[in-house]
């Protein structure tokens, strides 16, 4: 009699055990170049010579179709909140957010839903769900734009979020959205709070270069002793070199053990490495690398201790995209 096939259980991977023999100190060559990331037509990014978006004053539409590069001024009379930004979950669920008057490519709603579902599974909002002690997660949102990514975390209960963007218009829009959502309060300090006696704001907006904020935070008004549990980087794809960005965040004094780092990148870049070695001998271990259309979301954990049980190494996701 033929024995039934039994599904073999995959061995559990200890996140604290990292095989570094095959981990190169050098980042792959594909990350050291500027990338050209083509995207389909969106309401706020109009392709060159588009014949489907002709503008006639009496009929509506858009005239002289041109590619709207990120960071350039947006025609607010014709494109009012083009991305329809809103909070997806938490205390401010459904709240609409303002968009800055420059063209941006914000994280898509379906991507954001998947991302925050993963963050929840990592235990970043556990204290909120349990309802015992206040959540102590601190979020650093780099390339924040309108602030939609960091505000989503605040809505779900994180204690603090620092927003960093170089564009003054983005920073002022972010401040208005913070006030609109009611996150313009203050966290009291003291014994057991994990912060200084003077406390800190619930949300802080820093208008500065992202690389400088990561490498020299004290020069832009960020306390270098204030560690973050979550760092999100959603850069303008064609305006940065990913090798420089990864190096800056991996070796930043703002990250610590078990910090979760999210990096958004285009499929045209290729695949990010599974493990990234820090200058101090530590390592960033890849725990997610998922493709959503032409956008890829990679997540890493810094020097994992095993405290985040569901945040396990997944090298198979970093082979290809």
């Amino acid at each position: 009699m033929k024995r039934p096939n039994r599904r073999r259980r995959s061995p559990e991977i200890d996140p604290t055990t990292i095989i570094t023999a095959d981990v190169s100190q050098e980042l792959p060559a594909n990350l050291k170049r500027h990338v050209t990331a083509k995207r389909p037509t969106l309401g706020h990014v109009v392709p060159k010579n588009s014949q489907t978006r002709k503008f006639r004053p009496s009929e509506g539409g858009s005239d002289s179709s041109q590619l709207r590069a990120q960071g350039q001024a947006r025609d607010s009379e014709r494109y009012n909140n083009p991305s329809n930004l809103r909070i997806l979950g938490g205390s401010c669920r459904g709240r609409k957010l303002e968009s800055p008057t420059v063209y941006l490519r914000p994280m898509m709603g379906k991507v954001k839903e998947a991302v925050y579902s993963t963050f929840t599974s990592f235990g970043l909002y556990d204290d909120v769900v349990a309802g015992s002690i206040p959540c102590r997660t601190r979020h650093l949102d780099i390339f924040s734009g309108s602030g939609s990514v960091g505000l989503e975390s605040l809505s779900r209960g994180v204690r603090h979020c620092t927003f960093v963007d170089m564009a003054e218009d983005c920073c002022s829009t972010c401040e208005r959205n913070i006030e609109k959502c009611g996150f313009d309060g203050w966290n009291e300090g003291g014994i057991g709070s994990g912060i200084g006696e003077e406390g800190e704001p619930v949300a802080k907006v820093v208008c500065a270069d992202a690389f400088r904020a990561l490498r020299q935070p004290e020069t832009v008004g960020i306390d270098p002793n204030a560690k973050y549990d979550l760092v999100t980087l959603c850069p303008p794809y064609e305006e940065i070199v990913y090798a420089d960005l990864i190096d800056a965040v991996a070796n930043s004094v703002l990250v610590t053990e078990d910090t979760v780092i999210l990096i958004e990148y285009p499929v045209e870049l290729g695949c990010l490495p599974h493990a990234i070695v820090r200058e101090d001998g530590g390592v960033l271990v890849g725990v997610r690398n998922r493709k959503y259309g032409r956008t890829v979301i990679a997540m890493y954990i810094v020097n994992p201790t095993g405290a985040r049980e569901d945040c396990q190494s997944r090298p198979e996701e970093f082979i290809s995209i």
Side-chain angles (χ1 to χ4, degrees):
M1 183 176 178
K2 189 176 180 180
R3 297 178 62 184
N5 292 328
R6 292 184 179 180
R7 186 175 180 180
R8 298 180 62 184
R9 298 180 62 184
S10 58
E12 294 184 0
I13 300 175
D14 183 355
T16 63
T17 303
I18 308 301
I19 300 175
T20 58
D22 297 329
V23 178
S24 174
Q25 295 277 354
E26 191 76 12
L27 288 172
N30 64 307
L31 305 183
K32 298 180 180 180
R33 58 178 173 80
H34 284 278
V35 63
T36 300
K38 297 181 180 180
R39 290 293 176 269
T41 303
L42 297 176
H44 55 302
V45 182
V46 185
K48 293 179 180 179
N49 304 321
S50 172
Q51 298 300 314
T52 62
R53 302 182 69 83
K54 291 291 185 180
F55 173 64
R56 299 176 180 82
S58 60
E59 300 179 12
S62 60
D63 190 17
S64 303
S65 298
Q66 298 177 352
L67 179 66
R68 266 60 173 184
Q70 289 180 252
Q72 292 187 2
R74 172 170 57 85
D75 186 349
S76 58
E77 293 184 0
R78 286 160 55 188
Y79 296 101
N80 183 23
N81 191 19
S83 50
N84 294 318
L85 296 175
R86 66 179 66 233
I87 304 294
L88 300 180
S91 61
C92 293
R93 181 178 181 180
R95 188 75 53 87
K96 292 184 178 181
L97 303 176
E98 293 185 29
S99 290
T101 56
V102 296
Y103 291 95
L104 298 176
R105 292 184 178 91
M107 184 183 288
M108 294 182 294
K110 66 176 182 179
V111 179
K112 192 188 293 184
E113 287 181 0
V115 162
Y116 279 91
S117 175
T118 303
F119 286 165
T120 300
S121 72
F122 287 171
L124 290 168
Y125 312 114
D126 268 0
D127 294 333
V128 179
V129 176
S132 53
I133 60 175
C135 179
R136 294 189 176 185
T137 298
R138 305 182 77 254
H139 185 168
L140 177 61
D141 185 10
I142 304 287
F143 303 104
S144 60
S146 63
S148 64
V149 174
L151 287 167
E152 189 73 40
S153 265
L154 286 170
S155 177
R156 293 168 189 257
V158 299
R159 181 177 66 180
H160 169 84
C161 184
T162 299
F163 301 83
V164 178
D165 201 288
M166 191 167 62
E168 293 184 1
D169 182 41
C170 288
C171 291
S172 59
T173 301
C174 187
E175 289 175 343
R176 290 195 299 272
N177 284 331
I178 289 170
E179 184 176 359
K180 178 184 291 187
C181 293
F183 297 131
D184 51 348
W186 190 266
N187 289 324
E188 297 295 334
I191 299 175
S193 65
I195 55 179
E197 291 287 342
E198 68 281 1
E200 66 177 356
V202 174
K204 179 178 182 179
V205 180
V206 177
C207 191
D209 176 71
F211 294 92
R212 187 176 179 185
L214 289 168
R215 290 171 174 154
Q216 300 173 307
E218 66 280 358
T219 64
V220 299
I222 300 177
D223 183 2
N225 297 316
K227 308 303 180 183
Y228 291 86
D229 307 286
L230 174 62
V231 180
T232 51
L233 303 109
C234 304
Y237 301 150
E238 300 182 357
E239 297 177 26
I240 60 106
V241 175
Y242 273 85
D244 295 338
L245 180 63
I246 292 171
D247 177 74
V249 69
N251 298 294
S252 176
V253 297
L254 299 176
V255 303
T256 185
E257 290 182 344
D258 294 323
T259 294
V260 175
I261 298 174
L262 175 148
I263 303 175
E264 178 182 326
Y265 67 100
V267 294
E268 290 86 353
L269 187 66
C271 189
L272 296 189
H274 167 245
I276 301 168
V277 178
R278 290 161 47 99
E279 293 175 354
D280 62 3
V283 65
L284 273 64
V285 181
V287 293
R288 294 290 188 279
N289 193 49
R290 304 284 174 82
K291 178 183 174 184
Y292 304 91
R294 304 188 68 81
T295 297
V296 187
I297 299 293
M299 296 185 192
Y300 293 87
I301 184 168
V302 181
N303 295 340
T305 65
R308 302 192 188 281
E309 296 180 359
D310 291 335
C311 199
Q312 296 184 353
S313 173
R314 295 194 178 183
E316 68 277 7
E317 294 194 11
F318 289 83
I319 295 174
S320 63
I321 53 174

